[in-house]
Amino acid sequence: MTDLPQATEPFDAHPRPARPIWKQLWLWVLAAMIIGVVLGIAAPQTAVAMQPLGQAFIKLISMVIAPLIFCTIVSGIANMADMARVGRIAGKALVIFYLMTLLAITVALVSANLLQPGVGMNINPAALKSGAELGDYLQKAEQVTPAGFLLNIIPKTFVGAFVEGNVLQVLFLAVLSGFALIWLGKRAQPLLDVLDTGLQMIFRIVAMIMWVAPIGAFGAIAFTVGKFGVGSLASLGTLIGEFYLVCIIFILLAAAPIAWWCGFNLLKFVRYFRDELLISIATTSSETVLPRIMTKLNALGCEKGLVGFVVPAGYSFNLTGACLYLGMTTIFLAQATNTHLTFVHQLGLLLLMTVTSKGAAGIPGAAFVVLAATIEMDHSIPLSSVAMMLGIHRLMSQGFTPTFVITNTIAAMGIARWDKALDTEKMRAELG
């Protein structure tokens, strides 16, 4: 296995020779996931004990996310040397991000009303127990307000954003730093050289971490199946299956038009990112694949500076997968508890969720936190009903995490095409 992972170069798009299938990362990750599923079914207690393997891999990647985002955004903005263009790209990104968010919530609400996964369950909210774990989520949900979102963008100290690993705060600092370096002009070049060297070091670290990706995938999927799999699927399997179907429908609706506009085949595009998708499914974390996504987008012909700015921004403003989860589960809980919601009420919920989904950026367990916050703000659906989702939240995450990875990556391609920063010849050659 010494040649297992592909080299992870910082925005390096040099042609790579074909690799034997047994040396490709996706195969080893898939094999590890299958072994994890088997262990989870055959020996649940042993499988649950594998959790630290998945957690360790996620922590290894998480430790480099903040410096990676800072270096790529600062370098990208400073190398553009045009603040007007940075503002134009930011505006285009926000337009696409908001439209995708709105589409995700709309698809989720419509699907939940048509499929009606909660009808007939007749759940009594008073019978649901909210343990300590739910209490922790509800405490975080109190932070999810428009004012809290705005205040959360600004870190207490410059270093504090890196210590806490808050992506939104690091993004804010990186944009300010990039503009400052543009104003400094040639005097900023020595610092830019240091940042570029630091970025190369970070990508080398990521390349080393990816050696243990199959082990991390095994630990994460074994834990999920061992602790939640059989029991959760038996009680709420219909909701999980329908949610996965809705994720596929959303990907087709949101990604297919952009793929057609950019001139590439969506299936080939998904296949190109198969390593990242498998890792995100196993770990239920999109951050674990952020470095590789940025590298591959540049290899597909997206401009370096644009990729460095748009992709990390999507991790705070384009939470499409979480929005699908949010819309679907909100209506499900209303149906399960026999809470009647009119069309106007659901429309109001839709608008509320477009705000609360942004407000949870940077908060661990963001999707579940937003769910609790939305229900608490609305006061219609019993708040205690969110306890029903605790057992299957991770299984739902394995649907909405890869959905986010695909749609956020597709969004970056669309923004690059819109800003004429996409080399279509390079893209076709790489996908072909």
Side-chain angles (χ1 to χ4, degrees):
M1 289 179 57
T2 54
D3 295 326
L4 175 58
Q6 297 179 7
T8 307
E9 297 288 348
F11 303 108
D12 181 17
H14 296 302
R16 295 185 299 270
R19 298 169 60 85
I21 189 170
W22 63 271
K23 290 185 178 181
Q24 295 185 29
L25 179 59
W26 70 268
L27 180 64
W28 290 98
V29 171
L30 181 60
M33 291 172 65
I34 293 173
I35 295 172
V37 170
V38 172
L39 179 64
I41 295 173
Q45 292 184 346
T46 303
V48 169
M50 299 295 107
Q51 184 183 21
L53 296 177
Q55 290 178 326
F57 175 69
I58 294 174
K59 290 183 70 175
L60 283 170
I61 291 291
S62 297
M63 73 180 181
V64 299
I65 291 298
L68 172 68
I69 290 175
F70 183 80
C71 290
T72 52
I73 291 180
V74 171
S75 178
I77 291 176
N79 285 324
M80 285 183 197
D82 183 353
M83 284 186 284
R85 186 178 178 224
V86 174
R88 186 173 69 246
I89 291 174
K92 292 176 179 178
L94 288 176
V95 168
I96 288 184
F97 291 164
Y98 186 79
L99 290 176
M100 277 196 164
T101 298
L102 194 62
L103 177 62
I105 295 175
T106 303
V107 168
L109 291 178
V110 171
S111 300
N113 279 283
L114 292 176
L115 298 173
Q116 299 185 335
V119 172
M121 294 189 71
N122 301 317
I123 299 296
N124 179 11
L128 296 173
K129 296 181 180 180
S130 57
E133 186 178 0
L134 180 57
D136 293 339
Y137 280 115
L138 294 179
Q139 186 176 7
K140 293 175 184 176
E142 295 176 358
Q143 308 170 25
V144 184
T145 62
F149 168 65
L150 294 175
L151 290 175
N152 189 49
I153 295 176
I154 306 172
K156 293 180 180 179
T157 64
F158 195 98
V159 178
F162 295 89
V163 174
E164 296 177 7
N166 190 310
V167 173
L168 198 57
Q169 293 179 357
V170 173
L171 183 66
F172 176 72
L173 289 175
V175 171
L176 290 180
S177 300
F179 284 149
L181 292 180
I182 290 177
W183 274 321
L184 287 173
K186 293 182 179 179
R187 290 177 293 172
Q189 192 57 48
L191 181 55
L192 282 174
D193 292 339
V194 172
L195 287 174
D196 287 339
T197 302
L199 189 59
Q200 293 177 23
M201 178 192 71
I202 292 169
F203 272 91
R204 289 296 179 185
I205 293 174
V206 172
M208 290 186 283
I209 294 173
M210 293 312 296
W211 286 91
V212 297
I215 298 175
F218 162 75
I221 204 74
F223 168 77
T224 300
V225 175
K227 185 170 184 179
F228 304 112
V230 179
S232 297
L233 285 173
S235 59
L236 295 170
T238 301
L239 173 63
I240 297 170
E242 291 178 352
F243 178 70
Y244 289 173
L245 175 63
V246 170
C247 287
I248 295 172
I249 292 172
F250 172 72
I251 290 172
L252 294 175
L253 291 176
I258 296 178
W260 173 82
W261 183 46
C262 293
F264 61 84
N265 183 283
L266 180 58
L267 291 179
K268 287 186 178 181
F269 185 85
V270 172
R271 181 179 179 275
Y272 186 73
F273 287 94
R274 61 191 174 191
D275 292 356
E276 293 70 33
L277 291 174
L278 285 173
I279 292 172
S280 69
I281 290 171
T283 61
T284 65
S285 171
S286 56
E287 287 188 351
T288 56
V289 295
L290 174 59
R292 290 174 61 91
I293 284 174
M294 296 170 70
T295 299
K296 285 191 170 183
L297 280 172
N298 187 245
L300 284 174
C302 291
E303 186 183 288
K304 172 184 174 181
L306 185 142
V307 169
F309 178 76
V310 168
V311 175
Y315 273 65
S316 294
F317 296 100
N318 192 32
L319 305 175
T320 51
C323 289
L324 286 172
Y325 168 85
L326 187 60
M328 190 86 173
T329 53
T330 300
I331 303 303
F332 165 77
L333 293 177
Q335 294 170 350
T337 56
N338 297 317
T339 303
H340 177 67
L341 298 178
T342 65
F343 173 77
V344 175
H345 194 161
Q346 291 189 29
L347 185 62
L349 275 174
L350 186 150
L351 296 175
L352 177 61
M353 285 183 283
T354 60
V355 176
T356 53
S357 63
K358 302 296 185 289
I363 298 177
F368 196 92
V369 170
V370 171
L371 175 65
T374 304
I375 290 176
E376 186 174 29
M377 291 179 193
D378 183 65
H379 299 300
S380 298
I381 304 169
L383 184 58
S384 60
S385 65
V386 299
M388 294 173 59
M389 304 308 301
L390 281 174
I392 63 168
H393 175 69
R394 189 176 178 90
L395 294 172
M396 300 281 276
S397 298
Q398 288 173 327
F400 69 69
T401 303
T403 300
F404 164 75
V405 170
I406 293 173
T407 52
N408 196 48
T409 308
I410 285 280
M413 294 288 289
I415 295 165
R417 171 72 171 80
W418 190 0
D419 203 62
K420 299 180 180 178
L422 176 64
D423 187 337
T424 54
E425 293 298 325
K426 191 175 180 181
M427 174 192 73
R428 293 191 183 99
E430 186 73 7
L431 289 178

